[in-house]
Amino acid sequence: MKLRKVSAAAATALVLALTATACGGDNGGDSSGSGSDGGKTIKIGIKYDQPGLGLKEPDGSFSGFDVDVATYVAKELGYKPDQIEWVETKSADRENALSRGDVKMIAATYSITDERKQKVDFAGPYLLAHQDLLVKADSDIKEGTDLNGKKLCSVTGSTSAQNVKKEIAPKAQLQELGGYSECIAGLQSGALDAVTTDDAILAGFAAQDQYKGQFKLTGLKLSNENYGIGVKKGDTETLNKINDALEKMVSDGAWEKAVKDNFGPANYKNEPAPKIGQIVQ
Ligand code: GLU
């Protein structure tokens, strides 16, 4: 298939569980724990290797749009930033991490799909991104280029890899790795023709100091990726609170600020804030 654009658009001690209710926090014992001060905490799944979205910095702190959104949501649920325990949830691990109760919620460039909705529930969406290709600055891959036979890289368990296999280029030589940072290394060394995933993610990599000038995005909107916050299937109470928090984040301007802070440096032109419950197909 030739490239084409898609149409637009133990619980902790029982006493903790009880007090959590009293202070308005969430008492999901399986994902709350004792903080260093003995207080309640919330475990949130994010990516650790996606600059601008979810990144573990060398000093151990966390940055990115997903981190800011999750921090805002956690605050609305009654957790201060120091009560958040960040957990790395790679693309292929997300549904299981929620089902097992390893984390209370996941904000990790997690697209809402019908397939995933059979296993988990989603709040949101809170961002609309599009699948794109990251190529070397001198690459001639562009709209109309046949990607079948090309060496592409994406991540196991991602919609990006699935889209390549099903639709975009079923005969491409697709490598599926554990994280996008691993794909980027292959693009830099010349072992790959392109890395494919959401434009928001690729823009974050391209803007990194060590890659400046080396890569470009093709600008193709190969899919619509509606980012949601994943919760355990049936956890409607948390889901509703998250949706309220996301609505508030947009209306009070914190969403726009998070967009500017995190996507500004990468010059990523994001879509406007989506409406809760409105999925762009
Ligand atoms: N948003 C896509 C997905 O949920 C690609 C990015 C990712 O792997 O997290 O699969």
Side-chain angles (χ1 to χ4, degrees):
M1 185 205 228
K2 295 261 169 104
L3 279 182
R4 60 179 169 79
K5 294 191 187 196
V6 291
S7 56
T12 326
L14 175 62
V15 73
L16 253 189
L18 293 171
T19 47
T21 319
C23 39
D26 209 290
N27 62 353
D30 53 356
S31 47
S32 301
S34 293
S36 50
D37 61 351
K40 60 175 186 162
T41 59
I42 184 165
K43 289 187 178 154
I44 304 180
I46 52 166
K47 294 292 184 71
Y48 275 19
D49 70 337
Q50 296 179 187
L53 281 149
L55 186 70
K56 185 171 184 181
E57 303 278 1
D59 67 359
S61 63
F62 297 89
S63 71
F65 184 68
D66 283 341
V67 171
D68 287 353
V69 169
T71 303
Y72 187 100
V73 167
K75 181 187 74 191
E76 293 299 305
L77 265 56
Y79 299 88
K80 297 195 197 87
D82 65 356
Q83 291 173 308
I84 300 171
E85 279 184 53
W86 300 109
V87 177
E88 182 176 29
T89 44
K90 291 181 184 268
S91 296
D93 301 336
R94 293 175 290 200
E95 287 82 35
N96 284 339
L98 287 170
S99 305
R100 282 194 305 255
D102 295 352
V103 291
K104 189 74 179 170
M105 65 174 88
I106 292 183
T109 59
Y110 200 7
S111 298
I112 302 171
T113 69
D114 288 341
E115 201 181 330
R116 290 173 180 166
K117 276 203 282 191
Q118 292 176 9
K119 297 182 184 157
V120 300
D121 286 336
F122 287 99
Y126 64 93
L127 189 75
L128 174 62
H130 306 280
Q131 186 168 352
D132 197 349
L133 299 163
L134 187 71
V135 296
K136 280 262 180 82
D138 60 358
S139 169
D140 52 13
I141 292 178
K142 56 181 186 303
E143 188 173 5
T145 302
D146 191 353
L147 292 176
N148 286 299
K150 297 272 190 225
K151 297 188 196 98
L152 307 185
C153 187
S154 198
V155 164
T156 314
S158 67
T159 52
S160 322
Q162 221 176 2
N163 291 341
V164 169
K165 290 186 279 192
K166 281 198 176 155
E167 225 193 295
I168 299 168
K171 296 206 178 89
Q173 299 180 49
L174 178 68
Q175 274 201 50
E176 291 177 74
L177 302 179
Y180 297 103
S181 50
E182 296 164 45
C183 287
I184 299 291
L187 184 64
Q188 196 179 26
S189 75
L192 296 168
D193 296 312
V195 177
T196 183
T197 188
D198 308 338
D199 46 11
I201 299 173
L202 297 173
F205 280 110
Q208 293 292 289
D209 277 347
Q210 72 264 41
Y211 305 129
K212 279 252 166 77
Q214 293 186 42
F215 305 140
K216 65 182 180 195
L217 276 82
T218 61
L220 287 159
K221 292 180 167 37
L222 299 166
S223 70
N224 294 317
E225 304 293 326
N226 300 266
Y227 288 3
I229 297 191
V231 298
K232 191 178 199 156
K233 190 138 196 69
D235 188 357
T236 316
E237 195 188 332
T238 307
L239 185 130
N240 289 338
K241 286 185 193 166
I242 297 174
N243 277 335
D244 289 349
L246 291 173
E247 258 170 4
K248 188 170 167 197
M249 187 175 184
V250 172
S251 64
D252 73 6
W255 186 91
E256 200 58 49
K257 182 181 182 314
V259 156
K260 282 211 181 74
D261 291 350
N262 294 293
F263 298 142
N267 206 16
Y268 174 63
K269 302 276 175 278
N270 61 285
E271 301 270 4
K275 296 258 176 304
I276 299 300
Q278 276 185 20
I279 306 296
V280 179
Q281 298 292 342

